[in-house]
Amino acid sequence: MVCEHTSTRRIEFSETDMAGLVHFSNFFRYMETAERDFFEAAGIDLINSKPGELVGWPRARAECKFSAPLRFGDTINIHIAVKALKDRSIDYQFRIYRCNPDGSLTQAGKGHMTTVLTELTSNGKLRSIPLPESVRSKINEAPAVVLARREPV
Amino acid sequence: MVCEHTSTRRIEFSETDMAGLVHFSNFFRYMETAERDFFEAAGIDLINSKPGELVGWPRARAECKFSAPLRFGDTINIHIAVKALKDRSIDYQFRIYRCNPDGSLTQAGKGHMTTVLTELTSNGKLRSIPLPESVRSKINEAPAVVLARREPV
Amino acid sequence: MVCEHTSTRRIEFSETDMAGLVHFSNFFRYMETAERDFFEAAGIDLINSKPGELVGWPRARAECKFSAPLRFGDTINIHIAVKALKDRSIDYQFRIYRCNPDGSLTQAGKGHMTTVLTELTSNGKLRSIPLPESVRSKINEAPAVVLARREPV
Amino acid sequence: MVCEHTSTRRIEFSETDMAGLVHFSNFFRYMETAERDFFEAAGIDLINSKPGELVGWPRARAECKFSAPLRFGDTINIHIAVKALKDRSIDYQFRIYRCNPDGSLTQAGKGHMTTVLTELTSNGKLRSIPLPESVRSKINEAPAVVLARREPV
């Protein structure tokens, strides 16, 4: 059972904007990277395909508070934790940290995402479906102490 | 005095993802398009430059609820309204509508963004500054009836 | 029969990078916008779906020469012309112009793209297919005078 | 002296498009990742700042041939080699390989990029400048055998 995960990546030049900082929309893409790594760590296929059906995780809501800028070349840690495991959806909490040259970490963002397990039906509509046992058996909600943890990870 | 604006654009192929839908991070970029058009309609330079200083509007918070998918080729309306005009920041409300072939509109997303007027100081730090009169004199808070309006625009 | 088209769009803040200019990768996305508009002008569905099959236009080659920078807020014209209509592919030529405040146009880029009509087979492989009559009857190769035209469009 | 480098990264969900494959424009962003890592391996600051001036490497030309699709979750190797070291510019050759589950590599793309050392003058114009000794002393042109190497790296 896995309830949290930390991914690491570098900031790309193409992720900056003319203000010299990472464009804020990319924080949401960083969250998605951590989600993929979390699913891999849990042994879950993020994208399952049933014959003739695509099953995915569209987002119902995404939110981020930005507390420090990120710049080209920065290394970041992206921490994901399961905030709530619901019948057909998962609420995640994210924290994004800039890894400073002196080894310290600065929190650059804190986010939340609600993602709904969904199948694409044959008429092109999206329909939410219950989380299967293959997902429920591998991940669990993070304890409050993890969600409220103040020190970076 | 301007308090709301509606922008229109098409969905690009490069904005879709392998689920066949617009990647959710692009909703935040659509909001930014409406913000630029709103500032232009109000007669405000979004990006001012003082000698040796870049003044911009980094985001303190961004949030979106997703209620209907967008697909390649869709035309969308992006409605922006000023929710709160604060000393050093602006809160916006966004609504994104898909323009259907029959002329009806389907709400695809509702978002909020808080953006802070900021200068980049000579040592590379960001520092918030009060909204100047040249901004305050051109935009105002949208009345409650605009923010709560149920019918699409 | 259509052999060329010009699209117009604005440069978004999110398309710039920390050098203050449009990131070069976005020139290729602008080309794609012109391709969509060209297909629409010709009355061709860019993305056809046969039952159980996705038919698309993956790129075999893309190239761009950059001659002038583009900046946030610029309006650009993107001119597309059919350079060669082949059995299973199309070669396009692109020219991207910045629309200056005085009404003049500055060429910012010149590109080429080769795109192959392709179906996704049931085992996940890509397979090129001949251009159908529904495409061949609607577009044709641009005459040399169009391809070599020196004045902006 | 360094003349080549290989970077490794994963394909992100946000880099795919509705065809289920990596959007072709992202191949150019992958090249840029390898360029950054190459400069780091050589001990060169990619972005130098002189007081009041930004020095960067805008692209004069970029090109890619696409030979195999990339998909979400793939691991790729991006090989960069210096093809020509000129007075004010560098020509790079890129090869992008998909790392297959069996350990083999499939070439997904081959690209070239010409990048010009440029300063942003005080009036906002771009001006090319000669490569400084601090760059010339750290990188050199790859021998023909490296550029023509057939086996993946």
Side-chain angles (χ1 to χ4, degrees), chain D residues 5-124:
Chain D
H5 189 79
T6 300
S7 292
T8 296
R9 50 162 292 171
R10 298 286 303 278
I11 302 298
E12 306 291 343
F13 190 84
S14 61
E15 294 166 352
T16 61
D17 62 34
M18 62 183 283
L21 314 175
V22 166
H23 191 265
F24 77 104
S25 64
N26 290 319
F27 280 67
F28 295 98
R29 299 183 176 191
Y30 301 156
M31 294 181 200
E32 196 167 74
T33 298
E35 181 195 29
R36 178 200 62 202
D37 292 346
F38 171 69
F39 269 56
E40 286 194 353
I44 299 172
D45 273 340
L46 180 56
I47 310 294
N48 301 327
S49 280
K50 291 194 267 178
E53 283 176 19
L54 183 67
V55 178
W57 296 90
R59 286 68 175 84
R61 181 176 173 274
E63 184 238 353
C64 192
K65 290 180 187 163
F66 308 95
S67 48
L70 297 176
R71 290 184 168 85
F72 171 58
D74 285 350
T75 297
I76 59 171
N77 287 353
I78 317 156
H79 179 260
I80 180 175
V82 177
K83 200 172 173 189
L85 203 58
K86 297 181 179 172
D87 184 40
R88 290 160 186 263
S89 65
I90 308 177
D91 287 356
Y92 295 109
Q93 175 189 280
F94 297 89
R95 283 174 170 149
I96 298 175
Y97 299 96
R98 186 181 64 220
C99 305
N100 301 311
D102 66 1
S104 67
L105 296 173
T106 299
Q107 187 165 325
K110 182 177 181 181
H112 293 92
M113 202 187 294
T114 300
T115 188
V116 182
L117 186 59
T118 301
E119 62 179 13
L120 189 63
T121 63
S122 49
N123 63 2

Side-chain angles (χ1 to χ4, degrees), chain B residues 65-138:
Chain B
K65 289 180 188 164
F66 308 95
S67 48
L70 297 175
R71 291 185 167 84
F72 172 57
D74 284 352
T75 297
I76 59 170
N77 286 353
I78 316 155
H79 179 260
I80 179 175
V82 176
K83 199 172 175 191
L85 204 56
K86 299 182 179 170
D87 183 38
R88 294 159 185 262
S89 64
I90 308 177
D91 286 356
Y92 294 110
Q93 175 189 278
F94 297 88
R95 282 173 172 152
I96 298 176
Y97 299 97
R98 186 181 64 220
C99 305
N100 301 312
D102 67 2
S104 67
L105 296 174
T106 299
Q107 186 166 325
K110 182 176 181 181
H112 293 91
M113 204 188 292
T114 300
T115 187
V116 182
L117 186 59
T118 302
E119 63 180 12
L120 189 63
T121 62
S122 48
N123 64 1
K125 298 279 181 188
L126 303 178
R127 184 173 54 197
S128 70
I129 54 177
L131 301 191
E133 191 53 29
S134 60
V135 170
R136 295 199 164 277
S137 64
K138 290 172 180 154

Side-chain angles (χ1 to χ4, degrees), chain C residues 44-105:
Chain C
I44 299 172
D45 274 340
L46 181 55
I47 308 296
N48 301 325
S49 278
K50 292 194 267 179
E53 283 176 21
L54 182 68
V55 178
W57 297 89
R59 287 68 173 82
R61 182 177 172 273
E63 184 239 353
C64 192
K65 289 179 187 165
F66 308 95
S67 47
L70 297 175
R71 290 184 167 85
F72 171 57
D74 285 351
T75 297
I76 58 171
N77 286 354
I78 316 156
H79 179 261
I80 179 175
V82 177
K83 198 171 175 190
L85 204 56
K86 297 181 179 172
D87 184 40
R88 292 160 186 261
S89 66
I90 308 178
D91 287 356
Y92 295 109
Q93 176 189 277
F94 297 88
R95 281 172 172 154
I96 298 177
Y97 299 97
R98 185 182 66 221
C99 304
N100 302 312
D102 66 1
S104 66
L105 296 174

Side-chain angles (χ1 to χ4, degrees), chain B residues 10-12 33 36 40, chain C residues 10-12 33 36 40:
Chain B
R10 300 284 305 279
I11 302 299
E12 307 290 343
T33 298
R36 179 199 61 201
E40 286 194 353
Chain C
R10 297 288 302 281
I11 303 299
E12 306 291 344
T33 297
R36 178 199 62 200
E40 286 195 353

Side-chain angles (χ1 to χ4, degrees), chain A:
Chain A
M1 298 284 273
V2 184
C3 71
E4 62 174 326
H5 189 79
T6 301
S7 291
T8 297
R9 50 161 292 170
R10 298 288 303 278
I11 302 298
E12 305 291 343
F13 190 85
S14 61
E15 295 166 353
T16 62
D17 62 33
M18 64 183 283
L21 314 174
V22 166
H23 192 264
F24 76 104
S25 63
N26 290 319
F27 280 66
F28 296 98
R29 298 185 175 189
Y30 302 154
M31 294 182 198
E32 195 167 75
T33 298
E35 183 195 28
R36 177 200 63 200
D37 292 347
F38 171 70
F39 269 54
E40 286 194 354
I44 299 171
D45 273 339
L46 180 55
I47 309 295
N48 300 327
S49 279
K50 291 194 266 178
E53 283 176 18
L54 184 67
V55 178
W57 297 90
R59 285 68 175 84
R61 180 175 173 274
E63 184 241 352
C64 192
K65 288 179 188 163
F66 308 96
S67 47
L70 297 176
R71 292 185 166 84
F72 171 58
D74 283 351
T75 296
I76 58 171
N77 286 353
I78 316 156
H79 180 261
I80 179 174
V82 177
K83 198 171 174 190
L85 203 58
K86 298 181 178 170
D87 185 37
R88 292 160 187 262
S89 65
I90 308 177
D91 287 354
Y92 294 110
Q93 175 189 279
F94 296 89
R95 282 175 172 151
I96 299 176
Y97 300 97
R98 186 181 65 220
C99 304
N100 301 312
D102 66 0
S104 67
L105 296 173
T106 299
Q107 187 166 325
K110 182 175 181 183
H112 292 93
M113 203 188 292
T114 300
T115 189
V116 182
L117 187 58
T118 302
E119 64 180 12
L120 187 64
T121 63
S122 50
N123 64 2
K125 299 278 183 190
L126 302 178
R127 185 172 53 198
S128 70
I129 54 177
L131 302 191
E133 191 53 30
S134 60
V135 170
R136 295 197 165 278
S137 63
K138 290 172 182 155
I139 62 179
N140 59 336
E141 295 183 357
V145 62
V146 165
L147 294 169
R149 191 161 44 197
R150 298 192 76 117
E151 65 276 23
V153 284

